[in-house]
Each structure stands twice: as structure tokens, then as C-alpha cells.
Amino acid sequence: MRLSRQVKQRVLAALMNQPCTRPSPAPAPAPAPTTLLSRPPPYAPPSTVTFSTMNKNTEQEHLDAVFKQKRALRSRVRKALKAMEPDLRSQEDNAIQRIILESPWFKSSRRLCAYICCSALREVDTSKLLSETLSNPTGDGHTQRGKILYVPRVEDKNCHMRMLRISCIDDLVANSMDILEPAPVDGDGNVREDVMLANEPVDLFLLPGLAFDRSGRRLGRGGGYYDTFLKKYLELAKARDWKQPLLVVLSYSVQIMDEGVIAVTPNDIPVDALVSPIGVIPISQTALDRMKL
């Protein structure tokens, strides 16, 4: 159903990750740097074990160990996120979004996929990014910034997620878990464009997660939705001879791990860059080229 004015106010307040009645504002944080951070270690996609050399028992034992390690790390990071002071979290949210909005690689993007933050999951806020991207739409469905935006809609519990095009906040509805998603059809009854069926490629993905490192490893929340979707989209882009999109994760300081802490499997998709409150960490050669380190 459509959102009423009262509900939309609550939605916008939730997107901003602030209560509807705000406390006295905290002192403004120092301006965040817009330059890239120093070059990270050489990029290497996650590949800790060649599974083809294993027998089935050894492979399963290894996978069980990896999943156990992932569960332990998820628990640890969730506790760290829960312990973050609200003022610090707000400052880091603002810094991350400001860095992205001021970056040349974001400004030059024309078609992008971005997640809608969920405060209950303690994800990095994306409300300002969405608001800026969706500001002042024109008659052809583009925004003032000339961008086309796709956001996720979870279809089932079997890792099936779609990215659907929206043009305003009103296009979002709350699902059964009160998570905002695009309605499958717009207000006129037209089916929304699915990014997998679009005629042009996406330039940029802004991705969530629980933990990340400087070699491109990303730890999700265990559902496999993003890794499954990204694998399909990257295969589609390759088949159509499109330029591969830039995969960028948004990370609080407490979510950045040391090398080797995040266990991976062959199904885990590495990312190209990481945006933290103190700057951008380019990882892959794609990021180094496009972000002009």
C-alpha cells in the first residue's frame, strides 16, 4: 500500500536513523577528507582453497570450519555495532555519506544500485545518498543529477532478490518485517524496471555488510542474497560485454577487520573499494583506475 503523510514522516525519520523527536544536536564533526587513502595491499580475489583438489569429506569439513568462523565473527561484529555510541554512529554515517556525495566516481555514475538502510540491522545510513540521488526528478524519469536508481526487493527466503528502479521515496513500501522495499508496480500500475532486464549497464553498486577488509573480502549477514545477486549480475555484464560495475561497501570503523580474519568460500564475491569515515580505500585495479588514486 502507499505511504500516508504520517507514515512517510516516520519512514524518513527511520531512514535518517534518528528518532522522530530529535535530541539536541551533537557538535558538528570535523570535515571528512575527500581524498583516497593510501594504496592497500595488492588485490587478490578470495580463494583460500582449491576445492577441486579435495575429496567430498575434506571439502565439507573445510566448509563447516569456514561457516563456524563466519558465525563467530558475525556475533563479534554485531556486539561491536550494538556498543557504538549513538553520537559516534551519527558522525560516521554523515562522514561516509559526505565522502561518497563529494567523490568524482559517484558524481559521474549514471545508473546505480544502492541498499536502503535498516536501523534495526545497524547498517551504515544511506538516507542522504538516496535523497540526493532522487532529488528533483525530471519528466523522463531521471533525476536532477542524471541518475537512475535501483534498490533491493527480497522475493523469498531462497536468496532471491531483485533490484527495482525507483524515482522517489513514495515508491517504497514496508514489507512484513517493516523493511522498506520498492513496490513491484508503480502508482500507475506499471511494472517497475528490473535491473537484470535493463538495456544499459549499472556503473556502481553501494553495498552493505557486517565486516570487510582491505583485500576486498566482505562478510554478509548469512542469507547469501547479495552474493547470489552479484554473481548473476556480473555474469550478465560479462555476457553482454558491458563494463563491470564498481562494487563499493560502506563501513563503520568497527567493521574493518585485519587481513585473514574474514573466512571465505568460492561463492563470496570480492568488492572493489571500501568507504570508511576517514576516506575511500580502493582495492581492485578497477577501483584504482576509476577512482584515480
Side-chain angles (χ1 to χ4, degrees):
M1 63 181 184
R2 308 297 292 178
L3 300 180
S4 67
R5 180 181 298 275
Q6 184 178 16
V7 174
K8 280 187 282 185
Q9 289 175 345
R10 292 201 300 268
V11 165
L12 290 173
L15 278 175
M16 291 300 293
N17 201 21
Q18 298 289 337
C20 295
T21 303
R22 298 192 179 191
S24 300
T34 57
T35 55
L36 301 180
L37 300 182
S38 58
R39 183 186 293 266
Y43 176 75
S47 181
T48 55
V49 176
T50 303
F51 282 77
S52 61
T53 64
M54 295 182 174
N55 60 43
K56 289 185 178 181
N57 289 337
T58 304
E59 178 181 338
Q60 188 58 51
E61 288 175 2
H62 175 77
L63 286 174
D64 289 345
V66 168
F67 293 144
K68 181 178 180 180
Q69 187 175 346
K70 285 187 174 189
R71 286 193 296 270
L73 183 56
R74 287 190 184 102
S75 177
R76 179 178 128 198
V77 177
R78 287 190 180 104
K79 290 178 181 178
L81 288 171
K82 187 176 181 179
M84 280 186 74
E85 292 292 335
D87 284 351
L88 175 60
R89 181 178 172 186
S90 178
Q91 290 177 15
E92 294 202 356
D93 281 332
N94 291 334
I96 291 168
Q97 291 181 97
R98 185 167 62 250
I99 289 169
I100 294 173
L101 288 170
E102 294 176 354
S103 65
W105 48 269
F106 178 79
K107 291 179 179 179
S108 65
S109 67
R110 290 295 171 261
R111 305 174 75 90
L112 67 147
C113 293
Y115 71 94
I116 301 171
C117 61
C118 176
S119 59
L121 296 178
R122 296 181 173 85
E123 294 172 328
V124 172
D125 189 14
T126 55
S127 60
K128 292 180 181 178
L129 295 172
L130 297 177
S131 177
E132 287 290 320
T133 301
L134 295 173
S135 62
N136 300 320
T138 59
D140 62 0
H142 287 63
T143 65
Q144 187 179 41
R145 290 174 173 267
K147 301 185 189 303
I148 291 177
L149 174 65
Y150 303 87
V151 296
R153 177 182 174 85
V154 173
E155 297 293 336
D156 55 40
K157 296 182 179 180
N158 297 316
C159 304
H160 184 201
M161 180 178 76
R162 294 194 294 160
M163 288 278 184
L164 303 181
R165 180 176 173 177
I166 64 170
S167 57
C168 65
I169 294 296
D170 262 355
D171 292 341
L172 302 176
V173 295
N175 66 14
S176 60
M177 298 179 65
D178 288 331
I179 296 175
L180 295 174
E181 296 181 326
V185 297
D186 63 22
D188 297 323
N190 300 314
V191 176
R192 294 193 186 281
E193 182 178 73
D194 187 321
V195 73
M196 295 295 291
L197 303 176
N199 294 323
E200 295 183 59
V202 167
D203 307 305
L204 174 66
F205 278 80
L206 297 178
L207 305 169
L210 264 179
F212 319 96
D213 70 16
R214 291 172 177 255
S215 69
R217 296 183 177 192
R218 170 188 169 274
L219 177 70
R221 296 180 180 275
Y225 288 94
Y226 275 93
D227 284 320
T228 300
F229 179 85
L230 289 172
K231 182 176 185 294
K232 292 178 180 177
Y233 187 84
L234 296 177
E235 289 174 349
L236 174 69
K238 183 177 180 180
R240 295 191 177 183
D241 199 26
W242 285 344
K243 181 170 67 174
Q244 293 287 322
L246 192 64
L247 307 183
V248 179
V249 293
L250 282 58
S251 174
Y252 291 120
S253 299
V254 298
Q255 294 178 283
I256 302 176
M257 302 290 111
D258 293 333
E259 298 299 311
V261 171
I262 300 176
V264 293
T265 71
N267 293 325
D268 294 323
I269 304 296
V271 300
D272 297 303
L274 185 158
V275 182
S276 77
I278 61 171
V280 180
I281 301 174
I283 298 168
S284 69
Q285 188 60 50
T286 298
L288 292 170
D289 293 340
R290 296 191 198 177
M291 293 179 168
K292 298 180 173 30
L293 183 65

